[in-house]
Amino acid sequence: MSLTFAPAPTEPGAEAPPPPERRSLPRWAWALVVVAVWIVVWAFTKGQNTLAVPIREHSDVQNQLTDFRNSVLASRDSNPVVQLTYNLGEWFGSVFDWASRMISIPDLPRPVPQIGWLGVTAIATWLGLAVAGWRIAILVAASFFSFGLFGYWSDSMDLLIVTFVAVAAAVVLGLPLAVYYGTAGRTGTAILTTILDLMQTLPTFVYLSPVVLFFGIGASTAVVCTLIYALPPIIRIAGYGIRSVSTTTIEATDSSGQTRWQRLTKVQLPMARATIVVGLNQTIMAALSMATIAAFVDGPGLGQPVLQGLVRNDVGGAFVPGMLIVVMAVMLDRTTTAASEASEKAARGGVDVRLRRIVLAVTGVLALVAVYVSRQSFWAAEFRETSWGPRLADAVDSFFTWVTDTFHGVTQAMVDGVSTALLNPLQELLAESPWWLVGAAIVALAFVFGGIRGVVPAVVCLAGIRFFGLWHDTMLTLTMVLVGTILVMVLAVVLGVWMARARVADVVLRPFLDAGQTIPPFVYLIPVLGLFGPSRFTAIFAGVVYAAPAAIKLVADGVKGVSVTTIEASRSTGCTRWQEITKVQLPMARGSLVLAANQGLLYVLSMVVIGGLVGAQALGYDVVLGTSRSEEWGKGAAAGITIVLLGIMLDRIMRAAALNDAVAKDPTKRSWWRGMAA
């Protein structure tokens, strides 16, 4: 017998009670359903239609790409576009050559550069003092001395030249675009936003092949690659600063009858100065990162000895120039950051202008004297050879030999554990499933997490990956990327929650995370190669180390941003510490978690591609092979395009998932463009 209860009668005019809420399975449960079906079908079809091809075989599309490359090279003297790009590359090359003979290499018949190391160091130190203060001046002087003492003065100067030529061009091109980006409104900048999204999604290694095709190799290619990669930060960040100027301030100044140009130059640019300097900082760091990687296409600078060390598995030989790259990165990062703070302090009147002018005048005279001495005296023009670099390289080799011999069991256990628990099973599922099964599963997961906004880019990108004939290699790369992202998020959640809940942890860890974000990705391969040797795990581990700082900080800031009132309310109900973290803080910081996963995934993809240099194989190796062998250019180009498609697909699925979360919390964000901007 069952009992039924009639609904309570409602009074006339009273609102009817809302219908009971219909509950549906959460998205993670639907995702598990998709994966379960995938595994069942895979069990009956594994090894079929995986589209695996031998490394030296080419598809028709890849052969057509090679033919395209050959036709471009054959038309260098007749094609106006190719002539224009090569002329532009020659101009960049001539600028680099002039600057290099000025401060880096002998300007024959003069046996030394026009300005020797003492003069260059003095000028750089004076500039650091002028823009950022005496602490930065000391840092700059110490950095420049280290370049010479360790035997890499010319390479260091060449890397700085490439970086600053590219940054100067990025500022000239980027600031007008930033002004447009900040003043035209989101509808007017939709196309520019899409282009910037694409440029920031591309792994750095992918830029090399197409630029080499149209600009040749050497300094010109290094400058152009660096320029393209360094453009988005200054456009985006400076444009955001201009857009963020208070509407009330603009309206108040407009009431005085100012023109649009006066509004820009008198109000918006001055008030956005601090943000513009941040954009310049990010542009410089991006340029340094790309200029280092450009060594692979014969770009000059410290990247050359790092690359040679990686190719020879010479950890000590790669460590010393890699360390100097880190020194340079820290110097540039701290200088631009301190310059921003100094300009703000000066704007508030916190500087004695008269004393500052006297100090700069006196030190400027001393710098000019140093320049004169460096032109007249050989000892001040060229660094003498020292044993510092070779001794440090030998010490590093000895250290890593001791570490690998002593802790071989630990490192091998790490490799075996990750391979057994994550890498091998996931690779078996992705790479040994029929291509149509993998495609259907990815589209289904895209729909589960991102709805139709996730499905459309997934279908388009998967079709492109299939078209370019590297499906199996893509699955191998995707396996490494997903495993690396999982490890990054484990670190991000554990350390991020710890930083958010313990101030001591935040104070101790944040400086290391900040420093980690200044190191170019190329450098991360050096110690990891010493620990694990050339393998796919080396690329994954380097990707984890490279991506972890940004992901950890995003999670920490998201968890820390949870309202204190909400946390206190949960404690009043008797929540334990574990419940408080898992039931309150992490769910409310879900947006930060999704963003951390998105950034971590793209960072890992970038490093896994570079890992082709240290035995990671798959798409990264295809790119390396195509760049180094002319007959493999088509396959390398197809791999580069495939990496772009893979990155776009993963990025768009993650963005769509984040948008769905935002819509679930706030239905007013249903607009596609508003959601993407958010």
Side-chain angles (χ1 to χ4, degrees), residues 356-492:
R356 173 180 167 78
R357 288 175 178 172
I358 293 173
V359 170
L360 289 179
V362 173
T363 53
V365 171
L366 294 176
L368 291 176
V369 171
V371 171
Y372 176 78
V373 173
S374 74
R375 286 183 55 81
Q376 300 300 319
S377 302
F378 186 80
W379 67 267
E382 188 174 54
F383 253 104
R384 294 181 180 178
E385 290 188 11
T386 68
S387 60
W388 286 45
R391 286 167 57 189
L392 179 58
D394 291 340
V396 169
D397 276 330
S398 299
F399 172 75
F400 274 103
T401 300
W402 173 80
V403 169
T404 52
D405 290 344
T406 305
F407 300 101
H408 175 73
V410 177
T411 56
Q412 190 61 44
M414 290 177 59
V415 175
D416 293 341
V418 172
S419 298
T420 302
L422 291 174
L423 195 53
N424 292 340
L426 189 57
Q427 179 170 312
E428 187 104 0
L429 182 62
L430 281 168
E432 295 302 317
S433 292
W435 70 269
W436 51 265
L437 176 60
V438 178
I442 292 175
V443 170
L445 291 172
F447 180 76
V448 168
F449 288 112
I452 193 65
R453 294 186 181 92
V455 168
V456 173
V459 170
V460 172
C461 292
L462 287 171
I465 292 170
R466 176 70 176 84
F467 175 75
F468 285 102
L470 292 171
W471 183 274
H472 189 261
D473 285 355
T474 304
M475 295 304 107
L476 298 178
T477 299
L478 180 57
T479 300
M480 292 187 282
V481 170
L482 292 178
V483 169
T485 305
I486 291 170
L487 297 176
V488 166
M489 289 309 297
V490 170
L491 282 175

Side-chain angles (χ1 to χ4, degrees), residues 53-114:
V53 294
I55 190 63
R56 304 306 292 270
E57 282 193 11
H58 306 143
S59 67
D60 292 340
V61 173
Q62 294 161 14
N63 288 330
Q64 290 171 6
L65 289 171
T66 301
D67 293 341
F68 169 74
R69 178 245 186 199
N70 294 336
S71 66
V72 169
L73 294 179
S75 64
R76 284 177 54 179
D77 298 328
S78 58
N79 190 317
V81 174
V82 179
Q83 286 180 328
L84 175 63
T85 57
Y86 268 82
N87 289 337
L88 182 61
E90 289 176 1
W91 184 83
F92 279 126
S94 64
V95 172
F96 170 83
D97 183 61
W98 174 84
S100 183
R101 286 185 283 107
M102 186 65 64
I103 66 172
S104 173
I105 62 174
D107 186 15
L108 299 176
R110 182 179 170 86
V112 291
Q114 289 294 331

Side-chain angles (χ1 to χ4, degrees), residues 111-275:
V112 291
Q114 289 294 331
I115 304 177
W117 69 265
L118 182 63
V120 174
T121 303
I123 292 173
T125 303
W126 183 84
L127 288 174
L129 177 66
V131 302
W134 63 270
R135 290 186 180 88
I136 295 300
I138 294 174
L139 173 63
V140 171
S143 301
F144 273 72
F145 271 110
S146 70
F147 300 151
L149 288 175
F150 287 97
Y152 287 95
W153 175 264
S154 293
D155 287 328
S156 300
M157 294 304 101
D158 286 347
L159 180 58
L160 279 174
I161 292 169
V162 170
T163 299
F164 280 109
V165 170
V167 168
V171 170
V172 171
L173 295 174
L175 277 183
L177 291 173
V179 170
Y180 173 75
Y181 191 74
T183 58
R186 287 175 180 168
T187 303
T189 59
I191 296 177
L192 181 58
T193 300
T194 304
I195 295 173
L196 294 177
D197 287 345
L198 177 61
M199 292 174 69
Q200 292 190 296
T201 303
L202 303 184
T204 52
F205 218 46
V206 175
Y207 284 91
L208 300 180
S209 288
V211 176
V212 167
L213 178 60
F214 288 96
F215 292 90
I217 62 173
S220 58
T221 300
V223 172
V224 174
C225 286
T226 304
L227 165 62
I228 295 172
Y229 187 69
L231 260 178
I234 194 167
I235 296 173
R236 208 156 216 164
I237 298 175
Y240 171 78
I242 294 170
R243 188 189 303 136
S244 298
V245 174
S246 170
T247 306
T248 306
T249 303
I250 295 176
E251 291 174 351
T253 54
D254 283 347
S255 63
S256 63
Q258 67 178 0
T259 63
R260 181 178 298 180
W261 176 253
Q262 290 172 325
R263 179 203 306 159
L264 176 65
T265 56
K266 303 294 185 183
V267 180
Q268 291 173 303
L269 288 178
M271 295 192 71
R273 178 172 52 192
T275 308

Side-chain angles (χ1 to χ4, degrees), residues 489-500 505 509 513 548 552 555-556:
M489 289 309 297
V490 170
L491 282 175
V493 170
V494 172
L495 296 181
V497 170
W498 185 33
M499 288 174 62
L509 291 179
L513 299 178
I552 292 170
V555 172

